[in-house]
């Protein structure tokens, strides 16, 4: 990016908690059903209906607080954030303002080169979601199924300095909420939504620049693009001397098709929302049992364990543990008693490469199961097939449901481990190419590869490469 300016980013992430029922009533939180069937007097805000706090949501917020090493407030307060919109039947959102359930915490991001940075989390608070407006030509409709489902809003400090850092933060946060099982964090379905606050300042300036908030970001790629566009826009305004006019506290939307951010509305400040404690809800008190809730292994802990237990490099461990399903898959492969390193290589290059080609980006949808991949690797390790055979085998397994050993038979890729037979083949090749043997002996080392290639060709790729190397070296020395 521009070397005269520094980018400053703070993120607000709304995570939909995967509780069975809504935040203040017993309506189910299920997604994708007919409009307005999951509603009741409470979430429709009919007169006289009273909210009752869902304890499961509180527990999930506490789990998150523990995962980011945060200060947890045993007593927090629900407040009404007042605004009018058709998808908000109450006319106010029940949220937390002055005392959120989760206070200051932190999250560590890992760069590819192994360096790390700690990003501060300012707070995380519970709030209810709104419904959904749908615009069909001249008609607007509202679906309140989602109204009052529980959200955890996680607010970061303005600690990120590039779109890369913002994405690393979001991916880490995404991994954490999936690891501790408090949300499915599905971005397409809106259960993990991000607003990015972006500003710039000349390098060396202490004071922050004016921030702009970008909403409507539903993929990591879009977030990076939106931030980069916005930074350019702000720098340009700064250099043109129009910064005061063009960069002000406002909410902008990212236009995915055009790749630009556009002004949506001026930003309300908290006074506009007339926050006040909700008189229908007592302060939220965390009981001892909830406070003692344990959380499962976190991404960083899993990464350390993978390095120790399976002897793999930090970067590999990072890639594997950045996604819970990927980590699970890997452990199932290793459970087939194959080496941790081979498992990483076959999983990350061979299998993921094939899945990507097939347009599959979700490891749980892999046509080759972890057990099958484990067996393929085991057949390489016990010498039944070689690396080339394994690749052909994986190609077949992507297409066909067939048992691994049967597939090896079918493809005829059993490795030739019989040294006597190999020696005979090699002798024949060397005799046939006596001119090349002379050249090799005269110092043309590159020809070694030629001989290997000839042997592989003669054995249809089935020769054991280690044996071929060994025998050739002996014969040629
Ligand atoms: P609001 O509800 O008005 O959006 P919040 O306090 O919830 O306010 O969120 C403000 C967000 O903006 C935080 O993530 C914070 O880190 C970020 N932020 C504050 N100042 C700046 C700035 N100058 N540049 C970029 N981000 C900022
Ligand atoms: Mg905001
Ligand atoms: Zn309801």
């Amino acid at each position: 990016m521009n070397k005269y300016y520094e980018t400053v980013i703070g993120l607000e992430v709304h995570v939909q908690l995967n509780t069975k029922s809504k935040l203040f009533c017993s309506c189910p939180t299920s997604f994708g059903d007919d409009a307005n069937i999951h509603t009741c007097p409470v979430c429709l805000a009919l007169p006289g209906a009273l909210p009752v706090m869902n304890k499961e949501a509180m527990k999930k917020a506490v789990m998150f607080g523990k995962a980011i090493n945060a200060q947890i407030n045993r007593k927090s307060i629900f407040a009404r954030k007042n605004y009018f919109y058709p998808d908000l039947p109450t006319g106010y959102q029940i949220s937390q303002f002055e005392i959120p359930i989760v206070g200051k915490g932190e999250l560590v991001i890992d760069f590819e080169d192994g360096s790390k940075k700690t990003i501060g989390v300012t707070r995380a608070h519970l709030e209810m979601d709104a419904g959904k407006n749908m615009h069909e030509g001249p008609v607007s409709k509202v679906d309140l199924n989602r109204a009052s489902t529980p959200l955890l809003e996680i607010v970061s400090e303005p600690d990120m300095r590039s779109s890369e850092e913002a994405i690393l933060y979001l991916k880490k946060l995404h991994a954490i909420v999936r690891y501790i099982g408090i949300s499915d964090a599905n971005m397409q379905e809106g259960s993990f939504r991000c607003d990015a606050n972006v500003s710039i300042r000349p390098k060396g300036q202490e004071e922050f620049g004016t921030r702009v908030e970008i909403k409507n970001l539903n993929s990591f790629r879009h977030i990076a693009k939106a931030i980069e566009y916005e930074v350019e826009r702000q720098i340009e305004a700064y250099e043109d001397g129009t910064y005061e006019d063009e960069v002000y506290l406002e909410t902008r939307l990212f236009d995915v098709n055009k790749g630009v951010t556009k002004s949506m509305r001026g930003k309300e400040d908290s006074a506009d929302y007339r926050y006040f404690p909700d008189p229908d809800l007592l302060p939220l008190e965390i009981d001892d049992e909830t406070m003692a809730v344990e959380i499962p292994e976190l991404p960083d802990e899993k990464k350390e364990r993978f390095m120790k237990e399976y002897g793999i490099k930090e970067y590999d461990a990072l890639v594997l543990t950045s996604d819970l399903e990927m980590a699970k898959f890997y452990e199932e492969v290793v459970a087939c008693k194959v080496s941790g390193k081979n498992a990483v290589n076959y999983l990350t290059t061979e299998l993921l490469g094939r899945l990507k080609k097939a347009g599959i980006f979700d490891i749980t949808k892999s046509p080759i199961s972890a057990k099958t991949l484990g067996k393929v690797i085991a057949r390489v390790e016990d010498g039944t097939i070689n690396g080339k055979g394994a690749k052909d085998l994986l190609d077949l397994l992507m297409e066909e449901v067939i048992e691994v050993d049967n597939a090896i038979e079918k493809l005829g890729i059993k490795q030739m481990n019989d040294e006597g037979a190999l020696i005979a083949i090699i002798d024949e090749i060397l005799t046939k190419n006596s001119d090349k043997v002379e050249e090799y002996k005269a110092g043309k080392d590159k020809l070694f590869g030629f001989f290997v290639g000839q042997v592989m060709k003669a054995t249809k790729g089935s020769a054991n490469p280690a044996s071929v190397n060994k025998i050739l070296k002996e014969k040629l020395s």
Side-chain angles (χ1 to χ4, degrees), residues 8 10-12 155-158 197-199 208-209 211 213 267:
V8 174
L11 299 169
E12 294 161 81
V155 182
S156 87
E157 291 289 306
N197 295 273
V198 180
S199 68
F208 282 145
R211 79 176 154 113
E213 182 187 59
K267 181 134 182 67

Side-chain angles (χ1 to χ4, degrees), residues 59-80:
K59 182 169 139 199
K60 290 186 165 163
V62 171
M63 289 174 79
F64 177 74
K66 291 192 170 188
I68 59 158
N69 234 330
Q71 166 229 335
I72 293 167
N73 293 317
R74 292 293 292 253
K75 213 178 203 180
S76 59
I77 296 183
F78 283 109
R80 291 186 179 180

Side-chain angles (χ1 to χ4, degrees), residues 249-282:
L249 195 60
E250 65 168 340
T251 299
R252 296 177 74 86
L253 280 184
F254 182 58
D255 182 329
V256 176
N257 297 317
K258 298 207 177 88
V260 303
T261 64
K262 286 185 189 154
S263 186
M264 177 169 107
R265 57 163 190 249
K267 181 134 182 67
E268 301 82 357
D269 65 29
S270 58
D272 298 328
Y273 288 122
R274 296 176 293 116
Y275 278 100
F276 64 88
D278 193 309
D280 288 343
L281 286 158
L282 289 170

